[in-house]
Amino acid sequence: MALLPPMDELRSRVTANLAGFRRQGALPLAEGLRHAAVTVCVLEDDGRGPYTIVIKRGAHGRNPGQWALPGGRLEEGEDAVTAALRELEEEASVRNVEVAGLLDDFVTDSGFVITPVVAFGGRQRPRRDPYEVASVHRVPLERFLAPGVPRWRTDEEGRSLLQMALGPSIVIHAPTGAILWQFTEVALKGRDLRVVGVAQPHWTRR
C-alpha cells in the first residue's frame, strides 16, 4: 500500500494535483437535469491522520439508506462550491474548510449533475444532522490506496459495476463511488482519470 505524506504536504499535493487537472463540467444543464454539489472533505484525527467522511442517508428525503457524500441541490443564486460547503455544514457540522479544487461533474441516472468539491477541514468532529443523515463514517485516506480498491462486480444486467470497498461494511457504488474513485486517482495519485459513463446500480435511479 502506498504511504501518504504528512498532512501539510498532502494538502499541498492534492491542491497541486487538482490545479493541474482539466476538469470537465456538464453546464449548461441539459433539459430535465438538476444541479447538485457534494464535498469530499479531508479531516485530521487526533494523531493528524487524514480521513474523509461518508454518510448514510436518513429515512427522509431522496435515496434513504444509501451511501453518499455530504451534499445536495443548489439553491437559487448559489454556485456549486457555496452549495457544497453549506450542505457539508448542515449535514455533518463541518465548517470553515479550505477548498482545494473540483473534480469532474457527474451526471446521475436519477437526473442530477453533481459537482464534487475537494476541501480540507483540519481537526473537526463531524456530527450528523439527525433528520437527513442516519450515520456519519470516517474513512482513513490510506484505505483508498489499499489493494482491491476499487473492485468490479457484474450485476444481473451483465454490466460491470464499480465498488469502492472502504471498510468491512462500507461498499459504495456509483455515483458516489465514481466520485471517490476519481478523487483517489486524480487528487491523491496525480493521475488523469475520467469516470463519465461508469454504470450506476438500478436502485440509485430512485
Side-chain angles (χ1 to χ4, degrees), residues 160-200:
S160 185
L161 291 182
L162 166 73
Q163 294 184 336
M164 294 292 286
L166 300 177
S169 60
I170 304 178
V171 178
I172 305 179
H173 298 79
T176 299
I179 292 169
L180 291 174
W181 183 29
Q182 190 176 54
F183 166 74
T184 303
E185 295 298 311
V186 173
L188 297 183
K189 298 181 180 179
R191 298 175 179 172
D192 190 15
L193 173 76
R194 305 295 176 182
V195 292
V196 61
V198 171
Q200 300 162 56

Side-chain angles (χ1 to χ4, degrees), residues 72-91:
R73 300 183 195 182
L74 273 64
E75 295 182 352
E76 186 174 356
E78 281 188 322
D79 60 25
V81 172
T82 301
L85 301 190
R86 172 182 54 77
E87 291 282 353
L88 177 65
E89 181 172 356
E90 291 176 0
E91 295 186 340

Side-chain angles (χ1 to χ4, degrees), residues 11 39-43 81 84-86 88-89 93-100 117-122 124:
R11 183 186 297 106
T39 305
V40 182
C41 187
V42 179
L43 299 171
V81 172
L85 301 190
R86 172 182 54 77
L88 177 65
E89 181 172 356
S93 298
V94 175
R95 55 184 62 86
N96 299 323
V97 302
E98 176 185 341
V99 174
V117 177
V118 179
F120 284 79
Q124 301 189 48

Side-chain angles (χ1 to χ4, degrees), residues 6-7 12 28 31 53 62 68 75 84 90 104 111 129 146 151 153-154 160 168 171 181 188-189 197:
M7 179 58 75
S12 296
E31 184 177 356
I53 55 173
R62 296 184 61 86
E75 295 182 352
E90 291 176 0
D104 286 342
D129 174 344
R151 69 189 188 195
R153 296 292 185 270
T154 302
S160 185
V171 178
W181 183 29
L188 297 183
K189 298 181 180 179

